[in-house]
Amino acid sequence: MPEPKILTLLTDFGLNDVYVGVMKGVIAQINPTLTVVDLTHQIPPQNIAAGRFCLMSAYRYFPDETVHVAVVDPGVGGNRRAIALQFPSGFLVGPDNGLFGGILSQSPAIAAVELSNPDYWRVPTPSATFHGRDIFAPVGAHLSKGVSLQQLGREIDLASLVELPIPECKRIDRGVIGCIQYCDRFGNLVTNIPGSLVQGKFWSVEIAGETILGCQTYSDSPVGSLIALVDSNGWVEIAVNGGNAQMRLQVDLGALVRVLYRIAAV
């Protein structure tokens, strides 16, 4: 198997502090030639669901054998497991708190281990508050150099991996019920309703007392208007042309969304 050549980082650390830079320094000490890509460090603090969505949206754009290190970890130092997973497109390293569930719903894991071997940590006694530096970053770097998953710790049952309680959308008579699964920095509200379910149909969205007609692009409605469309990742999205849908509708993750079919397009 070829050695991974790319490692991605996703965290809720922000960019005001040195946390991200320190993780990159630890990685460079182990594999200085590795390409490190920042997916984002602006996940809202402790928002595992947002991290889950962003990872799910990004992984498919990287070559096979990429190592994805993700740290959105409100349970750091507690009972949650530190894990590494192999899945068909590469490796995932981070806390076992549901962060990887989006990827695994599309590309199931092949194997998983708990990171119990301190030989691959930065230090034998890691900080209780910075596993990103002391466990996850070094483990990701060692994986990029060809260390096998089995060397990193004891194997765990894939069925025991933690999942977030994110509801699936469900079909109803002449439509679909779902929820908001992510809000981006523009205030666009991404639902968990696949765009394939509205393809070839005239449709509208009901949310927070508003009915919004489905369209193709942001500019299909006047500036300031609510719009519904299929986003670049293939999900039904609610937006405001030139504005912020989250502020306009005053909704958050988990808010109920209903898609209603009208007359089939011809």
Side-chain angles (χ1 to χ4, degrees), residues 227-239:
I227 54 178
L229 71 169
V230 177
D231 73 3
S232 61
N233 289 309
W235 303 103
V236 171
E237 175 188 292
I238 299 141

Side-chain angles (χ1 to χ4, degrees), residues 53-147:
F53 177 84
C54 288
L55 278 172
M56 176 177 63
S57 300
Y59 80 92
R60 71 192 70 182
Y61 301 106
F62 288 86
D64 288 350
E65 304 304 315
T66 295
V67 178
H68 302 280
V69 175
V71 190
V72 182
D73 195 14
V76 61
N79 292 327
R80 68 96 185 95
R81 295 180 296 193
I83 60 172
L85 309 171
Q86 184 176 7
F87 73 116
S89 297
F91 299 90
L92 305 170
V93 180
D96 182 23
N97 59 11
L99 190 56
F100 302 131
I103 290 179
L104 300 182
S105 70
Q106 299 179 352
S107 185
I110 298 168
V113 297
E114 184 171 3
L115 301 177
S116 55
N117 186 349
D119 291 345
Y120 298 101
W121 302 350
R122 188 183 71 86
V123 289
T125 306
S127 163
T129 62
F130 201 177
H131 285 186
R133 176 194 67 194
D134 292 344
I135 298 179
F136 301 135
V139 162
H142 284 298
L143 276 170
S144 77
K145 294 191 71 175
V147 171

Side-chain angles (χ1 to χ4, degrees), residues 22-230:
V22 166
M23 287 179 64
K24 289 183 177 180
V26 169
I27 291 165
Q29 287 180 331
I30 297 167
N31 189 351
T33 65
L34 182 65
T35 298
V36 178
V37 175
D38 297 293
L39 292 181
T40 181
H41 300 292
Q42 303 291 355
I43 298 297
Q46 294 90 48
N47 193 324
I48 300 169
R52 174 188 184 277
F53 177 84
C54 288
L55 278 172
M56 176 177 63
S57 300
Y59 80 92
R60 71 192 70 182
Y61 301 106
F62 288 86
D64 288 350
E65 304 304 315
T66 295
V67 178
H68 302 280
V69 175
V71 190
V72 182
D73 195 14
V76 61
N79 292 327
R80 68 96 185 95
R81 295 180 296 193
I83 60 172
L85 309 171
Q86 184 176 7
F87 73 116
S89 297
F91 299 90
L92 305 170
V93 180
D96 182 23
N97 59 11
L99 190 56
F100 302 131
I103 290 179
L104 300 182
S105 70
Q106 299 179 352
S107 185
I110 298 168
V113 297
E114 184 171 3
L115 301 177
S116 55
N117 186 349
D119 291 345
Y120 298 101
W121 302 350
R122 188 183 71 86
V123 289
T125 306
S127 163
T129 62
F130 201 177
H131 285 186
R133 176 194 67 194
D134 292 344
I135 298 179
F136 301 135
V139 162
H142 284 298
L143 276 170
S144 77
K145 294 191 71 175
V147 171
S148 72
L149 201 69
Q150 291 69 30
Q151 291 173 271
L152 300 173
R154 53 181 170 268
E155 188 171 357
I156 57 178
D157 183 356
L158 297 179
S160 72
L161 296 173
V162 172
E163 296 185 15
L164 287 183
I166 296 176
E168 295 183 0
C169 68
K170 61 180 180 180
R171 294 177 183 264
I172 58 173
D173 184 34
R174 293 185 301 167
V176 186
I177 290 179
C179 68
I180 301 301
Q181 66 170 331
Y182 182 67
C183 178
D184 71 15
R185 68 183 298 269
F186 298 102
N188 299 326
L189 300 166
V190 182
T191 76
N192 66 342
I193 300 173
S196 59
L197 297 183
V198 300
Q199 186 174 9
K201 296 179 172 65
F202 291 136
W203 55 284
S204 62
V205 166
E206 292 183 349
I207 181 172
E210 299 275 359
T211 299
I212 308 162
L213 293 180
C215 60
Q216 296 292 319
T217 71
Y218 295 114
S219 59
D220 282 350
S221 294
V223 172
S225 297
L226 283 161
I227 54 178
L229 71 169
V230 177

